């Protein structure tokens, strides 16, 4: 059974199946609703129900309080329709958003490579001959077997790569999903991928120099974005400041050095925070935000900045960028929010970061 979901202020109506979340129905129709955690924890996807009835699902009482339910609010990521429904959402127009519909793709594992002791690259060949249409910086949900469920991973390859996408996956101690990928996933295995998801992509229409600040496996999205920009002939300066603990964990290092040689507008600044003293490392020693401050002389004005990595790294980079006079409207972050993250108190001054 299916119903009609009308989304205001767009005035667009889409089909929504019984039990399907409002967010999923919208994304599969190519309509972006603001969201973050996708599990009813963070309240980013809160919308107003103007007409009709919804089932609230597993929305946490912290993210959606009782009085808000009584006022007709719901969380789009876990609310489902019980009939025809009209909602109102805060939807901002973005000239750089392609608003691509989410689709399911059967895929096979075509290649696996160990990039570092803790990170593996997994290439998936999609059955769809045209591949997946996505914007560099977006992510997919990878459905894993044995009841593990879906896990979100950023796409590390550029959109020009065709019917194969690359994921860089760091093993998380005790994590069932990443543990399965690292210990049991094999070439030839069949998996299901859904996407593209996310609102993290380069604001190309701004036509400004860009800074990428990444740490750990947070390099995935910046790598895709950089490869995409260079393939398109983006002429403004591009800087990647990438941090790892030591040389052993620094991956795609040679690739970025080669790109720096081939493209005059690309600068690569690797930083190692815990490289042993006395090694032959000649690059920056310290953290990403410290390397960026030194590289730009603490002046980031006139740039767009894109941040990917652990929460502490992102927080430190935001502080450094703002001290260097780059502010919220020009700073973009990629966030995957856990239950613990969702409970943290955030300043009301910051909406986007």
């Amino acid at each position: 059974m299916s119903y009609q979901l009308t989304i205001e202020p767009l005035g667009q109506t889409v089909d929504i199946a019984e039990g399907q979340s409002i967010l999923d129905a919208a994304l599969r129709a190519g309509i972006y609703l603001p969201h973050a955690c996708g599990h009813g924890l963070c309240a980013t996807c809160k919308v107003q129900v103007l007409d009709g009835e919804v089932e609230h699902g597993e929305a946490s009482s912290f993210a959606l309080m009782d009085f808000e339910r009584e006022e007709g609010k719901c969380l789009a990521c876990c609310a489902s329709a019980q009939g025809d429904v009209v909602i109102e959402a805060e939807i901002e127009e973005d000239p750089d958003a392609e608003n691509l519909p989410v689709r399911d793709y059967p895929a096979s594992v075509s290649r696996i490579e160990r990039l570092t002791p803790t990170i593996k690259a997994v290439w998936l060949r999609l059955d769809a001959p045209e591949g997946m249409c996505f914007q560099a910086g977006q992510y997919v949900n990878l459905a894993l077997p044995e009841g593990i469920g879906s896990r979100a991973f950023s796409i590390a390859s550029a959109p020009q790569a065709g019917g194969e996408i690359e994921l860089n996956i760091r093993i998380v101690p005790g994590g069932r999903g990443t543990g399965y990928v690292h210990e049991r996933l094999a070439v030839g295995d069949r998996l299901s991928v859904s996407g593209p998801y996310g609102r993290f992509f380069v604001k190309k229409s701004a036509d400004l120099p860009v800074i990428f600040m990444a740490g750990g496996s947070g390099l995935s999205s910046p790598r895709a974005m950089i490869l995409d920009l260079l393939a398109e002939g983006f002429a403004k300066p591009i800087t990647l400041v990438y941090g790892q603990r030591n040389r052993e964990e620094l991956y795609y290092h040679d690739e970025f050095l080669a790109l720096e040689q081939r493209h005059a507008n690309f600068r690569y600044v690797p930083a190692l925070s815990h490289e042993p003293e006395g090694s032959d490392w000649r690059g920056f020693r310290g953290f990403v935000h410290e390397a960026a401050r030194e590289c730009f002389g603490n002046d980031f004005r006139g740039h767009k900045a894109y941040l990917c990595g652990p929460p502490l790294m992102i927080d430190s980079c935001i502080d450094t960028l703002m001290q260097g006079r780059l502010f919220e409207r020009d700073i973009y972050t990629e966030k995957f929010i856990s239950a613990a993250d969702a409970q943290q108190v955030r300043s009301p001054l910051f909406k986007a970061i």
Side-chain angles (χ1 to χ4, degrees), residues 105-112 121-128 131-132 140-144 151 153-155 157 161-169 181 185-194:
Y105 298 87
S108 59
V109 179
S110 56
R111 185 156 52 111
I112 299 176
V122 176
W123 283 265
L124 300 172
R125 182 159 296 281
L126 309 181
D127 286 1
M132 178 188 293
V140 297
N141 281 334
L142 182 64
L144 297 171
R151 298 291 188 271
F153 298 109
S154 297
I155 303 172
S157 47
E164 194 175 54
I165 60 172
E166 178 187 346
L167 309 177
N168 297 159
I169 300 174
V181 170
L185 191 67
V187 172
D189 284 357
R190 299 286 294 171
L191 297 170
S192 178
V193 183
S194 64

mmCIF file of all heavy atoms in Angstrom, residues 105-112 121-128 131-132 140-144 151 153-155 157 161-169 181 185-194:
data_model
loop_
_atom_site.group_PDB
_atom_site.id
_atom_site.type_symbol
_atom_site.label_atom_id
_atom_site.label_comp_id
_atom_site.label_asym_id
_atom_site.label_seq_id
_atom_site.Cartn_x
_atom_site.Cartn_y
_atom_site.Cartn_z
ATOM 1 N N TYR A 105 21.618 -0.322 -5.555
ATOM 2 C CA TYR A 105 22.472 -0.897 -6.595
ATOM 3 C C TYR A 105 23.037 -2.241 -6.134
ATOM 4 O O TYR A 105 23.824 -2.280 -5.185
ATOM 5 C CB TYR A 105 23.647 0.036 -6.908
ATOM 6 C CG TYR A 105 23.274 1.381 -7.450
ATOM 7 C CD1 TYR A 105 22.978 2.435 -6.591
ATOM 8 C CD2 TYR A 105 23.235 1.630 -8.822
ATOM 9 C CE1 TYR A 105 22.639 3.688 -7.080
ATOM 10 C CE2 TYR A 105 22.903 2.877 -9.324
ATOM 11 C CZ TYR A 105 22.604 3.902 -8.448
ATOM 12 O OH TYR A 105 22.272 5.148 -8.930
ATOM 13 N N PRO A 106 22.686 -3.344 -6.790
ATOM 14 C CA PRO A 106 23.432 -4.588 -6.548
ATOM 15 C C PRO A 106 24.865 -4.386 -7.034
ATOM 16 O O PRO A 106 25.106 -3.731 -8.048
ATOM 17 C CB PRO A 106 22.695 -5.623 -7.407
ATOM 18 C CG PRO A 106 21.382 -4.994 -7.749
ATOM 19 C CD PRO A 106 21.614 -3.517 -7.784
ATOM 20 N N ALA A 107 25.825 -4.930 -6.299
ATOM 21 C CA ALA A 107 27.235 -4.714 -6.643
ATOM 22 C C ALA A 107 28.061 -5.931 -6.266
ATOM 23 O O ALA A 107 27.662 -6.756 -5.443
ATOM 24 C CB ALA A 107 27.766 -3.474 -5.924
ATOM 25 N N SER A 108 29.223 -6.025 -6.877
ATOM 26 C CA SER A 108 30.185 -7.070 -6.525
ATOM 27 C C SER A 108 31.506 -6.424 -6.128
ATOM 28 O O SER A 108 31.874 -5.355 -6.650
ATOM 29 C CB SER A 108 30.397 -8.036 -7.694
ATOM 30 O OG SER A 108 30.870 -7.344 -8.831
ATOM 31 N N VAL A 109 32.204 -7.051 -5.203
ATOM 32 C CA VAL A 109 33.513 -6.557 -4.775
ATOM 33 C C VAL A 109 34.522 -6.900 -5.864
ATOM 34 O O VAL A 109 34.780 -8.070 -6.147
ATOM 35 C CB VAL A 109 33.929 -7.183 -3.439
ATOM 36 C CG1 VAL A 109 35.317 -6.680 -3.026
ATOM 37 C CG2 VAL A 109 32.899 -6.875 -2.361
ATOM 38 N N SER A 110 35.082 -5.872 -6.504
ATOM 39 C CA SER A 110 36.001 -6.104 -7.616
ATOM 40 C C SER A 110 37.468 -6.089 -7.201
ATOM 41 O O SER A 110 38.316 -6.682 -7.873
ATOM 42 C CB SER A 110 35.778 -5.065 -8.719
ATOM 43 O OG SER A 110 35.893 -3.748 -8.214
ATOM 44 N N ARG A 111 37.768 -5.421 -6.071
ATOM 45 C CA ARG A 111 39.168 -5.329 -5.638
ATOM 46 C C ARG A 111 39.215 -4.911 -4.182
ATOM 47 O O ARG A 111 38.362 -4.146 -3.715
ATOM 48 C CB ARG A 111 39.916 -4.319 -6.509
ATOM 49 C CG ARG A 111 41.415 -4.220 -6.249
ATOM 50 C CD ARG A 111 42.181 -3.682 -7.462
ATOM 51 N NE ARG A 111 41.662 -2.444 -7.996
ATOM 52 C CZ ARG A 111 42.297 -1.252 -7.926
ATOM 53 N NH1 ARG A 111 43.477 -1.178 -7.329
ATOM 54 N NH2 ARG A 111 41.783 -0.174 -8.479
ATOM 55 N N ILE A 112 40.188 -5.397 -3.446
ATOM 56 C CA ILE A 112 40.433 -4.981 -2.061
ATOM 57 C C ILE A 112 41.935 -4.757 -1.904
ATOM 58 O O ILE A 112 42.745 -5.578 -2.332
ATOM 59 C CB ILE A 112 39.962 -6.041 -1.044
ATOM 60 C CG1 ILE A 112 38.450 -6.286 -1.165
ATOM 61 C CG2 ILE A 112 40.309 -5.599 0.383
ATOM 62 C CD1 ILE A 112 37.939 -7.393 -0.261
ATOM 63 N N ALA A 121 40.997 -0.263 1.196
ATOM 64 C CA ALA A 121 40.232 0.266 0.076
ATOM 65 C C ALA A 121 39.425 -0.871 -0.522
ATOM 66 O O ALA A 121 39.964 -1.953 -0.781
ATOM 67 C CB ALA A 121 41.160 0.865 -0.979
ATOM 68 N N VAL A 122 38.132 -0.639 -0.700
ATOM 69 C CA VAL A 122 37.242 -1.629 -1.286
ATOM 70 C C VAL A 122 36.614 -1.016 -2.531
ATOM 71 O O VAL A 122 36.013 0.062 -2.467
ATOM 72 C CB VAL A 122 36.136 -2.049 -0.296
ATOM 73 C CG1 VAL A 122 35.153 -3.014 -0.959
ATOM 74 C CG2 VAL A 122 36.749 -2.667 0.957
ATOM 75 N N TRP A 123 36.797 -1.705 -3.678
ATOM 76 C CA TRP A 123 36.180 -1.245 -4.918
ATOM 77 C C TRP A 123 34.939 -2.092 -5.193
ATOM 78 O O TRP A 123 34.983 -3.331 -5.119
ATOM 79 C CB TRP A 123 37.150 -1.367 -6.083
ATOM 80 C CG TRP A 123 38.185 -0.297 -6.123
ATOM 81 C CD1 TRP A 123 38.149 0.863 -6.826
ATOM 82 C CD2 TRP A 123 39.450 -0.291 -5.443
ATOM 83 N NE1 TRP A 123 39.300 1.601 -6.627
ATOM 84 C CE2 TRP A 123 40.123 0.911 -5.776
ATOM 85 C CE3 TRP A 123 40.075 -1.198 -4.577
ATOM 86 C CZ2 TRP A 123 41.371 1.224 -5.286
ATOM 87 C CZ3 TRP A 123 41.325 -0.884 -4.078
ATOM 88 C CH2 TRP A 123 41.967 0.315 -4.433
ATOM 89 N N LEU A 124 33.831 -1.415 -5.511
ATOM 90 C CA LEU A 124 32.577 -2.088 -5.805
ATOM 91 C C LEU A 124 32.172 -1.797 -7.242
ATOM 92 O O LEU A 124 32.089 -0.618 -7.638
ATOM 93 C CB LEU A 124 31.473 -1.605 -4.861
ATOM 94 C CG LEU A 124 31.711 -1.836 -3.365
ATOM 95 C CD1 LEU A 124 30.645 -1.127 -2.556
ATOM 96 C CD2 LEU A 124 31.737 -3.319 -3.040
ATOM 97 N N ARG A 125 31.928 -2.847 -8.006
ATOM 98 C CA ARG A 125 31.441 -2.675 -9.376
ATOM 99 C C ARG A 125 29.923 -2.837 -9.357
ATOM 100 O O ARG A 125 29.416 -3.888 -8.978
ATOM 101 C CB ARG A 125 32.078 -3.666 -10.337
ATOM 102 C CG ARG A 125 31.611 -3.459 -11.777
ATOM 103 C CD ARG A 125 32.555 -4.053 -12.779
ATOM 104 N NE ARG A 125 33.872 -3.415 -12.769
ATOM 105 C CZ ARG A 125 34.134 -2.235 -13.350
ATOM 106 N NH1 ARG A 125 33.159 -1.567 -13.964
ATOM 107 N NH2 ARG A 125 35.345 -1.732 -13.301
ATOM 108 N N LEU A 126 29.241 -1.763 -9.750
ATOM 109 C CA LEU A 126 27.789 -1.752 -9.715
ATOM 110 C C LEU A 126 27.221 -2.461 -10.939
ATOM 111 O O LEU A 126 27.771 -2.363 -12.038
ATOM 112 C CB LEU A 126 27.282 -0.309 -9.659
ATOM 113 C CG LEU A 126 27.911 0.580 -8.561
ATOM 114 C CD1 LEU A 126 27.307 1.972 -8.602
ATOM 115 C CD2 LEU A 126 27.744 -0.039 -7.185
ATOM 116 N N ASP A 127 26.109 -3.166 -10.732
ATOM 117 C CA ASP A 127 25.486 -3.869 -11.849
ATOM 118 C C ASP A 127 24.917 -2.907 -12.883
ATOM 119 O O ASP A 127 24.813 -3.240 -14.060
ATOM 120 C CB ASP A 127 24.364 -4.780 -11.337
ATOM 121 C CG ASP A 127 24.912 -6.016 -10.629
ATOM 122 O OD1 ASP A 127 26.150 -6.141 -10.534
ATOM 123 O OD2 ASP A 127 24.106 -6.844 -10.175
ATOM 124 N N ALA A 128 24.511 -1.706 -12.442
ATOM 125 C CA ALA A 128 23.956 -0.716 -13.367
ATOM 126 C C ALA A 128 25.034 -0.283 -14.355
ATOM 127 O O ALA A 128 26.098 0.199 -13.941
ATOM 128 C CB ALA A 128 23.436 0.501 -12.603
ATOM 129 N N GLY A 131 26.467 3.102 -13.916
ATOM 130 C CA GLY A 131 27.059 3.407 -12.631
ATOM 131 C C GLY A 131 26.143 4.250 -11.766
ATOM 132 O O GLY A 131 24.943 4.357 -12.012
ATOM 133 N N MET A 132 26.703 4.851 -10.746
ATOM 134 C CA MET A 132 25.953 5.712 -9.846
ATOM 135 C C MET A 132 26.268 7.171 -10.142
ATOM 136 O O MET A 132 27.434 7.567 -10.185
ATOM 137 C CB MET A 132 26.304 5.410 -8.381
ATOM 138 C CG MET A 132 25.601 6.313 -7.368
ATOM 139 S SD MET A 132 26.203 6.075 -5.666
ATOM 140 C CE MET A 132 25.643 4.407 -5.319
ATOM 141 N N VAL A 140 27.611 6.581 0.559
ATOM 142 C CA VAL A 140 26.652 5.513 0.289
ATOM 143 C C VAL A 140 26.403 4.731 1.573
ATOM 144 O O VAL A 140 27.203 4.789 2.523
ATOM 145 C CB VAL A 140 27.155 4.548 -0.806
ATOM 146 C CG1 VAL A 140 27.310 5.275 -2.131
ATOM 147 C CG2 VAL A 140 28.472 3.879 -0.393
ATOM 148 N N ASN A 141 25.295 4.009 1.596
ATOM 149 C CA ASN A 141 25.034 3.028 2.644
ATOM 150 C C ASN A 141 25.324 1.647 2.073
ATOM 151 O O ASN A 141 24.769 1.269 1.036
ATOM 152 C CB ASN A 141 23.584 3.105 3.129
ATOM 153 C CG ASN A 141 23.372 4.249 4.100
ATOM 154 O OD1 ASN A 141 24.301 4.683 4.773
ATOM 155 N ND2 ASN A 141 22.156 4.751 4.175
ATOM 156 N N LEU A 142 26.201 0.923 2.742
ATOM 157 C CA LEU A 142 26.598 -0.407 2.310
ATOM 158 C C LEU A 142 25.904 -1.433 3.198
ATOM 159 O O LEU A 142 26.088 -1.440 4.416
ATOM 160 C CB LEU A 142 28.122 -0.553 2.424
ATOM 161 C CG LEU A 142 28.744 -1.862 1.962
ATOM 162 C CD1 LEU A 142 28.536 -2.055 0.460
ATOM 163 C CD2 LEU A 142 30.238 -1.873 2.292
ATOM 164 N N ALA A 143 25.070 -2.288 2.586
ATOM 165 C CA ALA A 143 24.344 -3.307 3.338
ATOM 166 C C ALA A 143 25.232 -4.528 3.519
ATOM 167 O O ALA A 143 25.658 -5.146 2.543
ATOM 168 C CB ALA A 143 23.060 -3.687 2.599
ATOM 169 N N LEU A 144 25.518 -4.869 4.769
ATOM 170 C CA LEU A 144 26.386 -5.997 5.083
ATOM 171 C C LEU A 144 25.547 -7.184 5.564
ATOM 172 O O LEU A 144 24.489 -6.991 6.180
ATOM 173 C CB LEU A 144 27.404 -5.589 6.147
ATOM 174 C CG LEU A 144 28.372 -4.477 5.711
ATOM 175 C CD1 LEU A 144 29.198 -3.988 6.891
ATOM 176 C CD2 LEU A 144 29.280 -4.962 4.583
ATOM 177 N N ARG A 151 25.935 0.330 6.787
ATOM 178 C CA ARG A 151 26.924 1.254 7.316
ATOM 179 C C ARG A 151 27.202 2.322 6.265
ATOM 180 O O ARG A 151 27.230 2.040 5.069
ATOM 181 C CB ARG A 151 28.238 0.535 7.661
ATOM 182 C CG ARG A 151 28.096 -0.530 8.743
ATOM 183 C CD ARG A 151 27.790 0.068 10.105
ATOM 184 N NE ARG A 151 27.835 -0.924 11.165
ATOM 185 C CZ ARG A 151 26.788 -1.664 11.555
ATOM 186 N NH1 ARG A 151 25.616 -1.510 10.952
ATOM 187 N NH2 ARG A 151 26.914 -2.544 12.540
ATOM 188 N N PHE A 153 29.553 4.953 4.292
ATOM 189 C CA PHE A 153 30.958 5.178 3.940
ATOM 190 C C PHE A 153 31.032 6.211 2.823
ATOM 191 O O PHE A 153 30.288 6.143 1.844
ATOM 192 C CB PHE A 153 31.626 3.883 3.467
ATOM 193 C CG PHE A 153 31.671 2.801 4.510
ATOM 194 C CD1 PHE A 153 30.871 1.675 4.383
ATOM 195 C CD2 PHE A 153 32.495 2.920 5.619
ATOM 196 C CE1 PHE A 153 30.907 0.678 5.339
ATOM 197 C CE2 PHE A 153 32.534 1.926 6.588
ATOM 198 C CZ PHE A 153 31.731 0.795 6.452
ATOM 199 N N SER A 154 31.955 7.157 2.960
ATOM 200 C CA SER A 154 32.156 8.175 1.927
ATOM 201 C C SER A 154 32.769 7.557 0.687
ATOM 202 O O SER A 154 33.578 6.619 0.777
ATOM 203 C CB SER A 154 33.079 9.288 2.448
ATOM 204 O OG SER A 154 32.486 9.949 3.536
ATOM 205 N N ILE A 155 32.411 8.094 -0.462
ATOM 206 C CA ILE A 155 32.975 7.627 -1.725
ATOM 207 C C ILE A 155 34.325 8.307 -1.918
ATOM 208 O O ILE A 155 34.430 9.535 -1.877
ATOM 209 C CB ILE A 155 32.039 7.943 -2.897
ATOM 210 C CG1 ILE A 155 30.658 7.326 -2.655
ATOM 211 C CG2 ILE A 155 32.627 7.434 -4.217
ATOM 212 C CD1 ILE A 155 29.609 7.743 -3.672
ATOM 213 N N SER A 157 36.331 7.794 -4.652
ATOM 214 C CA SER A 157 36.639 7.951 -6.075
ATOM 215 C C SER A 157 35.835 9.104 -6.658
ATOM 216 O O SER A 157 34.814 9.521 -6.108
ATOM 217 C CB SER A 157 36.338 6.661 -6.834
ATOM 218 O OG SER A 157 35.065 6.148 -6.475
ATOM 219 N N ALA A 161 34.729 8.122 -12.490
ATOM 220 C CA ALA A 161 35.275 6.767 -12.464
ATOM 221 C C ALA A 161 34.364 5.728 -13.093
ATOM 222 O O ALA A 161 34.761 4.579 -13.246
ATOM 223 C CB ALA A 161 35.601 6.360 -11.029
ATOM 224 N N GLY A 162 33.123 6.082 -13.419
ATOM 225 C CA GLY A 162 32.237 5.161 -14.122
ATOM 226 C C GLY A 162 31.502 4.227 -13.192
ATOM 227 O O GLY A 162 31.050 4.624 -12.120
ATOM 228 N N GLY A 163 31.392 2.936 -13.578
ATOM 229 C CA GLY A 163 30.558 1.991 -12.846
ATOM 230 C C GLY A 163 31.200 1.371 -11.636
ATOM 231 O O GLY A 163 30.670 0.410 -11.075
ATOM 232 N N GLU A 164 32.334 1.873 -11.188
ATOM 233 C CA GLU A 164 33.031 1.342 -10.023
ATOM 234 C C GLU A 164 33.234 2.460 -9.013
ATOM 235 O O GLU A 164 33.629 3.571 -9.381
ATOM 236 C CB GLU A 164 34.383 0.759 -10.455
ATOM 237 C CG GLU A 164 35.044 -0.112 -9.412
ATOM 238 C CD GLU A 164 36.315 -0.761 -9.951
ATOM 239 O OE1 GLU A 164 37.187 -0.011 -10.441
ATOM 240 O OE2 GLU A 164 36.434 -1.986 -9.883
ATOM 241 N N ILE A 165 32.941 2.204 -7.749
ATOM 242 C CA ILE A 165 33.176 3.199 -6.704
ATOM 243 C C ILE A 165 34.163 2.622 -5.690
ATOM 244 O O ILE A 165 34.229 1.411 -5.474
ATOM 245 C CB ILE A 165 31.884 3.636 -5.992
ATOM 246 C CG1 ILE A 165 31.188 2.451 -5.309
ATOM 247 C CG2 ILE A 165 30.951 4.336 -6.961
ATOM 248 C CD1 ILE A 165 30.016 2.858 -4.445
ATOM 249 N N GLU A 166 34.939 3.507 -5.082
ATOM 250 C CA GLU A 166 35.939 3.112 -4.096
ATOM 251 C C GLU A 166 35.532 3.623 -2.721
ATOM 252 O O GLU A 166 35.149 4.787 -2.567
ATOM 253 C CB GLU A 166 37.317 3.672 -4.470
ATOM 254 C CG GLU A 166 38.403 3.342 -3.456
ATOM 255 C CD GLU A 166 39.722 4.042 -3.747
ATOM 256 O OE1 GLU A 166 39.887 4.573 -4.867
ATOM 257 O OE2 GLU A 166 40.588 4.068 -2.845
ATOM 258 N N LEU A 167 35.649 2.762 -1.731
ATOM 259 C CA LEU A 167 35.410 3.127 -0.339
ATOM 260 C C LEU A 167 36.681 2.862 0.451
ATOM 261 O O LEU A 167 37.325 1.828 0.270
ATOM 262 C CB LEU A 167 34.260 2.303 0.258
ATOM 263 C CG LEU A 167 32.950 2.257 -0.534
ATOM 264 C CD1 LEU A 167 31.948 1.345 0.170
ATOM 265 C CD2 LEU A 167 32.363 3.651 -0.718
ATOM 266 N N ASN A 168 37.073 3.791 1.315
ATOM 267 C CA ASN A 168 38.220 3.601 2.205
ATOM 268 C C ASN A 168 37.678 3.385 3.612
ATOM 269 O O ASN A 168 37.077 4.296 4.194
ATOM 270 C CB ASN A 168 39.145 4.807 2.181
ATOM 271 C CG ASN A 168 39.761 5.059 0.813
ATOM 272 O OD1 ASN A 168 40.212 6.155 0.519
ATOM 273 N ND2 ASN A 168 39.769 4.054 -0.055
ATOM 274 N N ILE A 169 37.897 2.190 4.173
ATOM 275 C CA ILE A 169 37.222 1.795 5.407
ATOM 276 C C ILE A 169 38.239 1.490 6.498
ATOM 277 O O ILE A 169 39.071 0.595 6.366
ATOM 278 C CB ILE A 169 36.322 0.564 5.146
ATOM 279 C CG1 ILE A 169 35.273 0.918 4.073
ATOM 280 C CG2 ILE A 169 35.655 0.102 6.431
ATOM 281 C CD1 ILE A 169 34.428 -0.251 3.620
ATOM 282 N N VAL A 181 34.276 -6.185 7.118
ATOM 283 C CA VAL A 181 34.970 -5.739 5.910
ATOM 284 C C VAL A 181 36.437 -6.140 5.949
ATOM 285 O O VAL A 181 37.000 -6.646 4.975
ATOM 286 C CB VAL A 181 34.818 -4.216 5.724
ATOM 287 C CG1 VAL A 181 35.741 -3.714 4.618
ATOM 288 C CG2 VAL A 181 33.369 -3.851 5.411
ATOM 289 N N LEU A 185 35.346 -9.915 4.222
ATOM 290 C CA LEU A 185 34.920 -9.530 2.879
ATOM 291 C C LEU A 185 35.973 -9.962 1.862
ATOM 292 O O LEU A 185 37.172 -9.803 2.081
ATOM 293 C CB LEU A 185 34.714 -8.014 2.804
ATOM 294 C CG LEU A 185 34.019 -7.485 1.540
ATOM 295 C CD1 LEU A 185 32.566 -7.941 1.495
ATOM 296 C CD2 LEU A 185 34.095 -5.957 1.492
ATOM 297 N N ALA A 186 35.506 -10.498 0.713
ATOM 298 C CA ALA A 186 36.429 -11.021 -0.291
ATOM 299 C C ALA A 186 36.009 -10.566 -1.683
ATOM 300 O O ALA A 186 34.835 -10.250 -1.937
ATOM 301 C CB ALA A 186 36.459 -12.547 -0.231
ATOM 302 N N VAL A 187 36.975 -10.530 -2.578
ATOM 303 C CA VAL A 187 36.694 -10.209 -3.975
ATOM 304 C C VAL A 187 35.666 -11.207 -4.519
ATOM 305 O O VAL A 187 35.771 -12.415 -4.277
ATOM 306 C CB VAL A 187 37.988 -10.254 -4.815
ATOM 307 C CG1 VAL A 187 37.677 -10.126 -6.305
ATOM 308 C CG2 VAL A 187 38.940 -9.142 -4.370
ATOM 309 N N GLY A 188 34.685 -10.682 -5.231
ATOM 310 C CA GLY A 188 33.614 -11.509 -5.779
ATOM 311 C C GLY A 188 32.370 -11.531 -4.933
ATOM 312 O O GLY A 188 31.298 -11.946 -5.413
ATOM 313 N N ASP A 189 32.449 -11.111 -3.674
ATOM 314 C CA ASP A 189 31.257 -11.078 -2.815
ATOM 315 C C ASP A 189 30.216 -10.132 -3.388
ATOM 316 O O ASP A 189 30.551 -9.089 -3.968
ATOM 317 C CB ASP A 189 31.626 -10.628 -1.402
ATOM 318 C CG ASP A 189 32.308 -11.724 -0.601
ATOM 319 O OD1 ASP A 189 32.442 -12.838 -1.138
ATOM 320 O OD2 ASP A 189 32.700 -11.449 0.550
ATOM 321 N N ARG A 190 28.945 -10.484 -3.199
ATOM 322 C CA ARG A 190 27.830 -9.652 -3.664
ATOM 323 C C ARG A 190 27.282 -8.842 -2.488
ATOM 324 O O ARG A 190 27.068 -9.371 -1.387
ATOM 325 C CB ARG A 190 26.730 -10.524 -4.250
ATOM 326 C CG ARG A 190 27.158 -11.345 -5.456
ATOM 327 C CD ARG A 190 27.311 -10.476 -6.696
ATOM 328 N NE ARG A 190 26.022 -9.930 -7.113
ATOM 329 C CZ ARG A 190 25.881 -8.999 -8.059
ATOM 330 N NH1 ARG A 190 26.944 -8.493 -8.667
ATOM 331 N NH2 ARG A 190 24.696 -8.564 -8.407
ATOM 332 N N LEU A 191 27.063 -7.552 -2.733
ATOM 333 C CA LEU A 191 26.537 -6.648 -1.721
ATOM 334 C C LEU A 191 25.512 -5.717 -2.357
ATOM 335 O O LEU A 191 25.418 -5.626 -3.584
ATOM 336 C CB LEU A 191 27.662 -5.812 -1.094
ATOM 337 C CG LEU A 191 28.752 -6.548 -0.327
ATOM 338 C CD1 LEU A 191 29.892 -5.597 -0.006
ATOM 339 C CD2 LEU A 191 28.197 -7.157 0.954
ATOM 340 N N SER A 192 24.773 -5.026 -1.518
ATOM 341 C CA SER A 192 23.840 -4.011 -2.003
ATOM 342 C C SER A 192 24.281 -2.647 -1.496
ATOM 343 O O SER A 192 24.671 -2.501 -0.327
ATOM 344 C CB SER A 192 22.421 -4.310 -1.510
ATOM 345 O OG SER A 192 21.524 -3.306 -1.940
ATOM 346 N N VAL A 193 24.255 -1.672 -2.392
ATOM 347 C CA VAL A 193 24.665 -0.308 -2.066
ATOM 348 C C VAL A 193 23.501 0.632 -2.370
ATOM 349 O O VAL A 193 22.846 0.494 -3.417
ATOM 350 C CB VAL A 193 25.890 0.121 -2.906
ATOM 351 C CG1 VAL A 193 26.349 1.514 -2.504
ATOM 352 C CG2 VAL A 193 27.018 -0.871 -2.765
ATOM 353 N N SER A 194 23.234 1.579 -1.489
ATOM 354 C CA SER A 194 22.238 2.608 -1.776
ATOM 355 C C SER A 194 22.884 3.978 -1.693
ATOM 356 O O SER A 194 23.787 4.203 -0.890
ATOM 357 C CB SER A 194 21.050 2.520 -0.821
ATOM 358 O OG SER A 194 21.452 2.775 0.515
#
